[in-house]
mmCIF file of all heavy atoms in Angstrom:
data_model
loop_
_atom_site.group_PDB
_atom_site.id
_atom_site.type_symbol
_atom_site.label_atom_id
_atom_site.label_comp_id
_atom_site.label_asym_id
_atom_site.label_seq_id
_atom_site.Cartn_x
_atom_site.Cartn_y
_atom_site.Cartn_z
ATOM 1 N N SER A 92 -44.080 -33.294 2.125
ATOM 2 C CA SER A 92 -44.073 -33.231 0.667
ATOM 3 C C SER A 92 -45.085 -32.191 0.209
ATOM 4 O O SER A 92 -46.195 -32.111 0.752
ATOM 5 C CB SER A 92 -44.425 -34.591 0.059
ATOM 6 O OG SER A 92 -43.541 -35.592 0.505
ATOM 7 N N SER A 114 -48.790 15.684 -34.325
ATOM 8 C CA SER A 114 -48.126 16.811 -33.665
ATOM 9 C C SER A 114 -48.050 17.989 -34.630
ATOM 10 O O SER A 114 -48.008 17.812 -35.857
ATOM 11 C CB SER A 114 -46.720 16.420 -33.198
ATOM 12 O OG SER A 114 -45.886 16.109 -34.293
ATOM 13 N N SER A 120 -48.706 26.249 -38.750
ATOM 14 C CA SER A 120 -49.349 24.945 -38.646
ATOM 15 C C SER A 120 -50.770 25.098 -38.115
ATOM 16 O O SER A 120 -51.061 25.957 -37.282
ATOM 17 C CB SER A 120 -48.544 24.021 -37.720
ATOM 18 O OG SER A 120 -48.498 24.544 -36.406
ATOM 19 N N ASN A 164 -34.760 -37.022 13.635
ATOM 20 C CA ASN A 164 -34.893 -36.866 15.078
ATOM 21 C C ASN A 164 -33.579 -36.384 15.696
ATOM 22 O O ASN A 164 -32.485 -36.736 15.242
ATOM 23 C CB ASN A 164 -35.294 -38.192 15.733
ATOM 24 C CG ASN A 164 -36.674 -38.644 15.296
ATOM 25 O OD1 ASN A 164 -37.527 -37.826 14.945
ATOM 26 N ND2 ASN A 164 -36.907 -39.951 15.314
ATOM 27 N N VAL A 203 -48.555 15.231 -41.955
ATOM 28 C CA VAL A 203 -47.749 14.446 -42.895
ATOM 29 C C VAL A 203 -47.191 13.235 -42.148
ATOM 30 O O VAL A 203 -46.568 13.387 -41.096
ATOM 31 C CB VAL A 203 -46.606 15.284 -43.495
ATOM 32 C CG1 VAL A 203 -45.743 14.416 -44.414
ATOM 33 C CG2 VAL A 203 -47.171 16.475 -44.257
ATOM 34 N N ILE A 208 -44.640 2.577 -36.199
ATOM 35 C CA ILE A 208 -44.077 1.362 -35.607
ATOM 36 C C ILE A 208 -45.097 0.249 -35.764
ATOM 37 O O ILE A 208 -46.279 0.430 -35.483
ATOM 38 C CB ILE A 208 -43.724 1.570 -34.122
ATOM 39 C CG1 ILE A 208 -42.615 2.622 -33.973
ATOM 40 C CG2 ILE A 208 -43.274 0.258 -33.486
ATOM 41 C CD1 ILE A 208 -42.249 2.922 -32.541
ATOM 42 N N ILE A 276 -26.043 -14.562 9.172
ATOM 43 C CA ILE A 276 -25.457 -14.159 7.894
ATOM 44 C C ILE A 276 -25.990 -15.129 6.836
ATOM 45 O O ILE A 276 -25.786 -16.341 6.939
ATOM 46 C CB ILE A 276 -23.914 -14.211 7.927
ATOM 47 C CG1 ILE A 276 -23.362 -13.297 9.015
ATOM 48 C CG2 ILE A 276 -23.338 -13.816 6.571
ATOM 49 C CD1 ILE A 276 -21.855 -13.406 9.195
ATOM 50 N N ARG A 278 -27.200 -15.712 2.487
ATOM 51 C CA ARG A 278 -27.202 -15.267 1.092
ATOM 52 C C ARG A 278 -28.413 -15.884 0.385
ATOM 53 O O ARG A 278 -28.719 -17.060 0.547
ATOM 54 C CB ARG A 278 -25.917 -15.678 0.376
ATOM 55 C CG ARG A 278 -25.924 -15.367 -1.126
ATOM 56 C CD ARG A 278 -24.553 -15.544 -1.739
ATOM 57 N NE ARG A 278 -23.643 -14.497 -1.285
ATOM 58 C CZ ARG A 278 -22.410 -14.332 -1.750
ATOM 59 N NH1 ARG A 278 -21.931 -15.142 -2.689
ATOM 60 N NH2 ARG A 278 -21.649 -13.374 -1.282
ATOM 61 N N THR A 324 -28.605 -11.492 -2.849
ATOM 62 C CA THR A 324 -28.671 -10.549 -1.733
ATOM 63 C C THR A 324 -28.005 -11.163 -0.523
ATOM 64 O O THR A 324 -28.319 -12.297 -0.136
ATOM 65 C CB THR A 324 -30.129 -10.198 -1.394
ATOM 66 O OG1 THR A 324 -30.748 -9.561 -2.514
ATOM 67 C CG2 THR A 324 -30.193 -9.262 -0.190
ATOM 68 N N THR A 338 -41.669 -7.874 30.665
ATOM 69 C CA THR A 338 -41.869 -7.189 29.391
ATOM 70 C C THR A 338 -40.655 -7.458 28.506
ATOM 71 O O THR A 338 -39.511 -7.321 28.967
ATOM 72 C CB THR A 338 -42.053 -5.676 29.590
ATOM 73 O OG1 THR A 338 -43.170 -5.448 30.461
ATOM 74 C CG2 THR A 338 -42.305 -4.981 28.259
ATOM 75 N N PRO A 462 -63.396 -12.540 27.452
ATOM 76 C CA PRO A 462 -63.620 -13.997 27.397
ATOM 77 C C PRO A 462 -65.082 -14.392 27.528
ATOM 78 O O PRO A 462 -65.544 -15.313 26.837
ATOM 79 C CB PRO A 462 -62.785 -14.514 28.574
ATOM 80 C CG PRO A 462 -61.751 -13.466 28.802
ATOM 81 C CD PRO A 462 -62.416 -12.171 28.480
ATOM 82 N N TYR A 474 -47.984 5.757 13.163
ATOM 83 C CA TYR A 474 -47.503 7.067 12.730
ATOM 84 C C TYR A 474 -46.391 6.844 11.708
ATOM 85 O O TYR A 474 -45.468 6.050 11.930
ATOM 86 C CB TYR A 474 -46.962 7.873 13.906
ATOM 87 C CG TYR A 474 -46.352 9.199 13.502
ATOM 88 C CD1 TYR A 474 -47.145 10.322 13.310
ATOM 89 C CD2 TYR A 474 -44.979 9.325 13.299
ATOM 90 C CE1 TYR A 474 -46.605 11.538 12.933
ATOM 91 C CE2 TYR A 474 -44.423 10.538 12.922
ATOM 92 C CZ TYR A 474 -45.232 11.632 12.737
ATOM 93 O OH TYR A 474 -44.691 12.833 12.364
#
Side-chain angles (χ1 to χ4, degrees):
S92 303
S114 64
S120 63
N164 295 333
V203 177
I208 296 178
I276 301 174
R278 174 169 290 186
T324 298
T338 302
Y474 176 84

